[in-house]
Amino acid sequence: MTTAYQKPLPQVTPEMAPFWAAARRHELVVQRCRGCGAHRFPARDLCSRCLSRDAEWTRVSGKGTVFTWAVMHQVYHPGFAGEVPYAVVVIELDEGARLVSNLVDCPVDTVTAGMPVEVVFEDVTPDVTLPKFRPRAAR
Ligand code: ZN
């Protein structure tokens, strides 16, 4: 018997559908501006650097660093009851885009700013895969 996934699932908007489709393939993609080359996340119509509306989805390395984080001590959703305390992190990818995720294989008291991380993929339902991050050795 399998236990149903108890946490909230992402709402897959048309703008973000390519990201979630790639995650299911265990690939991390972000938008890249065709005007200036800047990577960005989440999907936006307009580049905040050069104002171009021309963008494409591109696969990125999945490597980055912890930009900042917060440790959740309260249970805001019953699905997380068995996990507190856990860290919600902002990852700065090597390509420059930042995204919010969780850390795995990392006790919350060992999280540091600038800590090197890499993406891992968690298949939480048959339709949804969540990109998460784990510590990796520094270059
Ligand atoms: Zn741009």
Side-chain angles (χ1 to χ4, degrees), residues 39-100:
H39 291 81
R40 64 185 189 231
F41 186 88
R44 290 191 288 273
D45 284 342
L46 198 64
C47 177
S48 58
R49 202 161 90 177
C50 75
L51 304 182
S52 172
R53 290 184 183 277
D54 192 11
E56 64 190 347
W57 287 93
T58 185
R59 190 172 180 183
V60 290
S61 65
K63 292 181 168 57
T65 55
V66 172
F67 181 75
T68 189
W69 74 100
V71 176
M72 302 295 136
H73 293 277
Q74 294 199 41
V75 178
Y76 293 103
H77 184 283
F80 292 89
E83 293 189 16
V84 291
Y86 62 92
V88 176
V89 292
V90 177
I91 301 299
E92 185 167 77
L93 297 173
D94 285 357
E95 292 81 2
R98 291 180 188 154
L99 56 102
V100 177

Side-chain angles (χ1 to χ4, degrees), residues 26-42:
H26 290 196
E27 295 176 8
L28 189 66
V29 299
V30 299
Q31 275 189 327
R32 192 177 73 85
C33 173
R34 285 192 175 116
C36 72
H39 291 81
R40 64 185 189 231
F41 186 88

